[in-house]
Amino acid sequence: AQSVTQLDSQVPVFEEAPVELRCNYSSSVSVYLFWYVQYPNQGLQLLLKYLSGSTLVESINGFEAEFNKSQTSFHLRKPSVHISDTAEYFCAVSKTGGATNKLIFGTGTLLAVQP
Amino acid sequence: DVKVTQSSRYLVKRTGEKVFLECVQDMDHENMFWYRQDPGLGLRLIYFSYDVKMKEKGDIPEGYSVSREKKERFSLILESASTNQTSMYLCASTEAPGQGLYEQYFGPGTRLTVT
């Protein structure tokens, strides 16, 4: 079975500062990795994903995440955050070759960007 | 663009009522999912469906049932609502594995309050 750990429930940061949201996973099989973002009063939107190939993946709004197989991590980073990045961020995994693309989610990290 | 819609954004029901939450997707996806989201617990899978009339229990199916009579529609049913079912309910859909789409698309959510 797979599991996902997001140790930080909340990360406060000042505008234009760098940020890292941590995600570690546990799995005995190969996985796909995802970061979703949830803005206030909205559903989840895919931010970025790792399926295969380059271990560094990027989103269109400046976030990036690096798949580290040896450390079983998929941390999310942004070099300079904006107020508009305030949201809850969820890390998720699914088993490669699974029957349903079922996702296992972490408990989420609230990124609170302050002016 | 994939669109997943949910019948209500906010719903208030009384204890013991039968509650129906509806979800419709417009991308001909085989797989559909119902999650509940609670603070500090992330998203937990209630039920999922991998085809019309096919369903499987997720991690927390107790007190819920589902119905999928048509490919585009997946309903979540609370047979007798209880206060501990007050939560945000999120619906998602995705293709069957092997078709190139691995991420799930989410609806905007229904915030259900049971009084």
Side-chain angles (χ1 to χ4, degrees), chain B residues 35-49:
Chain B
Y35 298 90
R36 65 176 281 175
Q37 180 183 9
D38 300 288
L41 297 178
L43 277 75
R44 293 179 292 168
L45 182 64
I46 304 172
Y47 266 98
F48 64 98
S49 168

Side-chain angles (χ1 to χ4, degrees), chain A residues 36 38 41 49 100-101, chain B residues 9 31 37 95 101 103-104:
Chain A
Y36 282 83
Q38 185 179 35
N41 298 314
K49 63 185 177 185
T100 60
N101 287 343
Chain B
R9 291 300 305 273
N31 295 349
Q37 180 183 9
E95 292 178 349
L101 181 71
E103 64 263 32
Q104 293 182 12

Side-chain angles (χ1 to χ4, degrees), chain A residues 42-80:
Chain A
Q42 294 186 25
L44 274 69
Q45 303 171 34
L46 180 70
L47 188 60
L48 45 76
K49 63 185 177 185
Y50 170 78
L51 302 180
S52 64
S54 172
T55 56
L56 184 66
V57 291
E58 298 177 354
S59 72
I60 57 172
N61 58 352
F63 283 94
E64 64 179 30
E66 186 159 20
F67 169 52
N68 188 319
K69 189 174 182 180
S70 62
Q71 297 190 4
T72 60
S73 68
F74 192 54
H75 302 328
L76 183 69
R77 301 183 183 96
K78 189 171 186 180
S80 175

Side-chain angles (χ1 to χ4, degrees), chain A residues 26-40:
Chain A
S26 172
S27 177
S28 58
V29 299
S30 296
V31 295
Y32 299 128
L33 294 153
F34 306 85
W35 275 100
Y36 282 83
V37 58
Q38 185 179 35
Y39 298 105

Side-chain angles (χ1 to χ4, degrees), chain B:
Chain B
D1 266 1
V2 175
K3 195 162 186 185
V4 180
T5 56
Q6 295 184 229
S7 50
S8 305
R9 291 300 305 273
Y10 300 93
L11 210 52
V12 179
K13 295 292 181 180
R14 292 189 183 275
T15 301
E17 278 193 84
K18 191 168 186 176
V19 181
F20 293 86
L21 302 183
E22 305 284 338
C23 175
V24 177
Q25 50 93 4
D26 66 356
M27 281 301 290
D28 203 36
H29 286 167
E30 286 80 9
N31 295 349
M32 296 186 74
F33 305 81
W34 274 107
Y35 298 90
R36 65 176 281 175
Q37 180 183 9
D38 300 288
L41 297 178
L43 277 75
R44 293 179 292 168
L45 182 64
I46 304 172
Y47 266 98
F48 64 98
S49 168
Y50 50 91
D51 203 348
V52 175
K53 296 191 187 292
M54 307 302 285
K55 61 187 179 185
E56 281 196 23
K57 293 180 181 178
D59 301 316
I60 51 164
E62 297 78 20
Y64 304 94
S65 63
V66 291
S67 171
R68 193 161 178 208
E69 297 296 317
K70 293 185 178 181
K71 192 174 185 179
E72 67 270 19
R73 187 180 298 270
F74 191 35
S75 303
L76 180 68
I77 303 154
L78 287 66
E79 296 289 343
S80 177
S82 64
T83 55
N84 63 11
Q85 292 178 311
T86 291
S87 187
M88 170 72 92
Y89 290 88
L90 292 164
C91 175
S93 73
T94 189
E95 292 178 349
Q99 296 188 24
L101 181 71
Y102 299 92
E103 64 263 32
Q104 293 182 12
Y105 287 86
F106 283 82
T110 295
R111 187 167 294 281
L112 173 67
T113 302
V114 183
T115 62

